[in-house]
Amino acid sequence: MVFAYIDLGTGSYLFQVGLAVFMLIFYSARSLIKLFFQYLKNAVIKLVKRR
Amino acid sequence: MQESSFRDPSGFVFERDGTLYRQINNVYRGNYELLLSSGLYKELADKGLLVSHREVVIAPENEALAYKIIKPDKIPFISYPYEWCFSQLRDAAMATLYIQKTALSRGMTLKDASAYNIQYFNGKPIFIDTLSFEKYQEGYPWVAYRQFCQHFLAPLALMSLKDIRLSQLLGVYIDGIPLNLASKLLPLSSWLRMGLLTNIHLHSKMQKKYSDKSFKGNKSAAVSKKGLLAIIIGLEDVVQSLRYIRGKTEWNEYYHDIHYGCESFNAKKRIVGELLAGLKPNSVWDLGANEGVFSRLASNCGIHTISMDNDPATVESNYLMVKRNNETCMLPLLMDMSNPSSFRGWANSERCSLAARGPANIVMALAIQHHLVIGNNIPFKKLAEFMASLGYWLIIEYIPKDDPQVQRLLASRKDIFDEYSQTYFEQSFSQLYEIRGKYGLPGSQRVIYLMVRKS
């Protein structure tokens, strides 16, 4: 791989590869958790309204 | 060639007849054309995030390499990251990340993320290196990731979690604070914050592990565009989460604990305002400006004003006020007048000293002279020489020895300042300046002088 005129460094390169995967999983999981809580909230509101 | 632009083979900045130009070299041709055709330049320039330019036809500085010459808009004053307060550095970091995200959406990427590529223009951060964009290639990591962490994330984390004064490390480490140093200096609690744990602590460990191993990349070590965006969003989250909690410092409540009468203070504002209105300068440097009360007398009249102080908390307050009021003529900067910014970087010429960025039309030195003379043992003659190196006109406040502020400075030390008198002050400054006016402040023994440099 040809880098630009600044040095990324092997450590930073490889770290970025792992971090990208981790961040994708993290944000996907966070979005799912947010969706789950949104669903839970809506369900509770519905239940309260029915009663 | 400007001494700050020699590192990038894509082009360089040069000055001709007092105008600044940028030569774009043939090697950058494809990327420059993509920058324009992708709409990235227009989008960023329209949003005030990238310096605007126009192409000009003049003889290139280096004909053998030249593709085009552009004339960028002039930035009135070049400042450096080690002169910025916490929020200025944080806003610069957020602007860099936003630019990188926008570039990715247009098929380009930033090839460097140096804090020196950001300047303050009209009160806002602006990216000044038009040649920092290159075509994005799927699978490639962000080559400027390490640089972003060193230039922005590490100093911000240190300022936020350890000590605000650690921003000065940026002046020592011209390519950003090494991550292993930042990792050592940060408190243990920073290991519990995901953004800092990953981008600083683990990143630094990885750098150490692979410090002497070469790697040219392969397919299994690719970073997808989505992954790259996730890293950028993660960086935005961690930068935004960092805060500077201001404690009470010696200076940030200076005007609340006002130590001379309201009458004197109002008279001082009136006198300074009238002097500025009479001189109609195009630039003012206010030394020891505190939160910029007197600087605003100039900037509110459309005069480009640099408001300098050595207290990070007051510079922070000043900058937040600039942001709140959308002030466009004011630039607050962190500057210790007893040790102002010197030439730094390669061959001591890459980053300019404070004086080399002048001269200003007017230098204001209100209620700072006694700190330099008594607090730092600077003789009046040396003070006059320094002031003369910064600008043509000088508005300076003389504080007599029996003033409570001078007495406070002398409370814990021996009075070795036999020559500290108004007569000697006038004699010393008269060697370099012509005194044009003397204005006593009612209710105090303080005197404001208007002087003009003799040559």
Side-chain angles (χ1 to χ4, degrees):
Chain A
M1 176 175 284
V2 180
F3 288 125
Y5 72 106
I6 61 163
D7 181 18
L8 174 60
T10 305
S12 291
Y13 184 162
L14 293 174
F15 180 72
Q16 214 178 140
V17 174
L19 183 65
V21 175
F22 172 75
M23 292 308 282
L24 272 176
I25 295 169
F26 174 77
Y27 281 115
S28 305
R30 200 169 76 166
S31 302
L32 279 174
I33 291 167
K34 270 186 185 171
L35 272 175
F36 173 71
F37 278 106
Q38 189 64 39
Y39 170 80
L40 210 65
K41 192 178 152 192
N42 289 343
V44 171
I45 290 169
K46 265 186 189 173
L47 209 69
V48 172
K49 274 186 182 172
R50 260 189 217 164
R51 286 189 177 180
Chain B
M1 188 193 288
Q2 284 261 315
E3 287 300 335
S4 56
S5 73
F6 61 87
R7 290 180 197 266
D8 188 357
S10 305
F12 56 86
V13 175
F14 64 95
E15 198 174 329
R16 191 175 292 166
D17 303 327
T19 307
L20 215 62
Y21 299 98
R22 190 184 283 274
Q23 174 168 318
I24 300 172
N25 291 338
N26 276 315
V27 69
Y28 191 71
R29 182 183 191 143
N31 284 318
Y32 178 70
E33 282 171 1
L34 183 61
L35 175 68
L36 299 186
S37 64
S38 65
L40 178 60
Y41 166 77
K42 191 177 180 313
E43 181 177 351
L44 293 178
D46 286 350
K47 286 180 177 164
L49 284 166
L50 176 62
V51 71
S52 297
H53 70 257
R54 62 187 175 84
E55 292 175 9
V56 290
V57 184
I58 60 162
E61 191 76 349
N62 185 337
E63 200 153 357
L65 301 174
Y67 164 56
K68 270 185 180 164
I69 308 291
I70 57 173
K71 183 177 171 290
D73 284 352
K74 195 177 178 199
I75 306 290
F77 185 90
I78 298 295
S79 59
Y80 301 123
Y82 46 84
E83 297 167 348
W84 296 342
C85 65
F86 178 82
S87 291
Q88 282 173 312
L89 188 63
R90 200 174 67 162
D91 287 352
M94 292 304 288
T96 305
L97 292 172
Y98 183 84
I99 290 166
Q100 169 65 354
K101 263 199 321 192
T102 313
L104 281 172
S105 72
R106 300 263 183 184
M108 296 197 85
T109 182
L110 276 179
K111 66 180 183 183
D112 61 17
S114 162
Y116 295 91
N117 282 343
I118 298 277
Q119 284 302 323
Y120 274 84
F121 184 49
N122 289 337
K124 294 189 175 91
I126 187 169
F127 198 79
I128 57 161
D129 190 2
T130 315
L131 311 188
S132 277
F133 299 89
E134 64 181 3
K135 188 177 178 193
Y136 169 70
Q137 286 174 283
E138 187 68 43
Y140 277 47
W142 185 24
V143 76
Y145 169 66
R146 180 185 62 94
Q147 199 178 34
F148 180 87
C149 293
Q150 291 186 176
H151 278 240
F152 292 108
L153 190 58
L156 283 169
L158 287 169
M159 289 161 85
S160 171
L161 304 176
K162 194 73 182 175
D163 193 306
I164 193 70
R165 292 167 294 184
L166 286 169
S167 66
Q168 293 308 299
L169 280 177
L170 280 171
V172 180
Y173 295 101
I174 209 87
D175 195 26
I177 301 172
L179 295 184
N180 59 347
L181 176 62
S183 179
K184 270 185 198 167
L185 291 175
L186 281 169
L188 278 176
S189 60
S190 65
W191 286 77
L192 301 174
R193 297 174 73 145
M194 196 188 78
L196 298 179
L197 169 70
T198 53
N199 293 296
I200 292 186
H201 295 301
L202 298 180
H203 186 179
S204 137
K205 298 258 178 243
M206 198 75 166
Q207 280 181 333
K208 191 182 171 194
K209 189 175 175 189
Y210 289 92
S211 60
D212 52 357
K213 295 186 178 79
S214 71
F215 178 73
K216 296 292 175 193
N218 58 41
K219 278 190 178 175
S220 64
V223 180
S224 68
K225 197 171 186 175
K226 275 188 181 171
L228 213 54
L229 274 169
I231 291 177
I232 308 295
I233 292 167
L235 284 170
E236 278 181 335
D237 283 351
V238 62
V239 168
Q240 253 171 345
S241 73
L242 294 170
R243 295 266 183 275
Y244 166 43
I245 313 290
R246 285 182 301 153
K248 185 181 181 213
T249 66
E250 188 182 358
W251 299 108
N252 69 344
E253 292 187 4
Y254 183 75
Y255 293 123
H256 304 166
D257 315 332
I258 201 151
H259 42 271
Y260 54 95
C262 233
E263 187 192 2
S264 292
F265 186 72
N266 289 334
K268 186 166 153 182
K269 271 176 95 173
R270 182 181 49 76
I271 292 166
V272 173
E274 284 171 4
L275 291 175
L276 289 170
L279 293 169
K280 295 188 177 62
N282 56 31
S283 64
V284 169
W285 289 5
D286 186 2
L287 319 180
N290 202 273
E291 290 176 353
V293 170
F294 294 94
S295 306
R296 280 185 174 77
L297 296 175
S299 67
N300 288 345
C301 298
I303 302 162
H304 194 264
T305 306
I306 312 295
S307 188
M308 302 178 227
D309 203 277
N310 71 345
D311 182 47
T314 57
V315 180
E316 178 79 10
S317 301
N318 199 349
Y319 175 67
L320 294 178
M321 215 177 300
V322 166
K323 274 181 78 173
R324 208 167 36 243
N325 303 334
N326 284 323
E327 295 174 42
T328 56
C329 293
M330 174 88 136
L331 176 60
L333 286 184
L334 191 62
M335 188 77 67
D336 180 356
M337 282 307 145
S338 65
N339 179 25
S341 294
S342 54
F343 283 102
R344 290 177 201 205
W346 173 249
N348 289 130
S349 58
E350 223 177 337
R351 311 290 167 212
C352 286
S353 69
L354 175 65
R357 284 172 274 170
N361 274 163
I362 296 185
V363 171
M364 293 204 298
L366 304 171
I368 186 180
Q369 154 262 314
H370 57 305
H371 291 289
L372 295 169
V373 175
I374 290 177
N376 290 280
N377 294 21
I378 312 281
F380 278 136
K381 278 183 186 171
K382 290 271 176 205
L383 185 64
E385 282 169 18
F386 176 60
M387 296 291 169
S389 73
L390 300 182
Y392 294 115
W393 290 91
L394 175 64
I395 299 174
I396 187 165
E397 184 178 1
Y398 172 76
I399 321 277
K401 217 174 196 178
D402 50 8
D403 188 277
Q405 287 300 303
V406 176
Q407 287 304 312
R408 197 174 64 92
L409 287 171
L410 287 170
S412 56
R413 62 174 302 178
K414 191 179 171 191
D415 183 359
I416 53 163
F417 306 97
D418 295 336
E419 289 185 324
Y420 191 100
S421 69
Q422 194 168 350
T423 313
Y424 189 61
F425 168 82
E426 286 183 9
Q427 273 174 11
S428 304
F429 276 79
S430 296
Q431 289 176 14
L432 294 164
Y433 286 97
E434 188 185 315
I435 297 174
R436 290 283 181 90
K438 267 166 85 168
Y439 312 87
L441 292 182
S444 85
Q445 297 298 309
R446 296 176 174 214
V447 183
I448 291 185
Y449 285 83
L450 173 67
M451 306 184 189
V452 64
R453 208 167 71 182
K454 282 181 178 168
S455 54

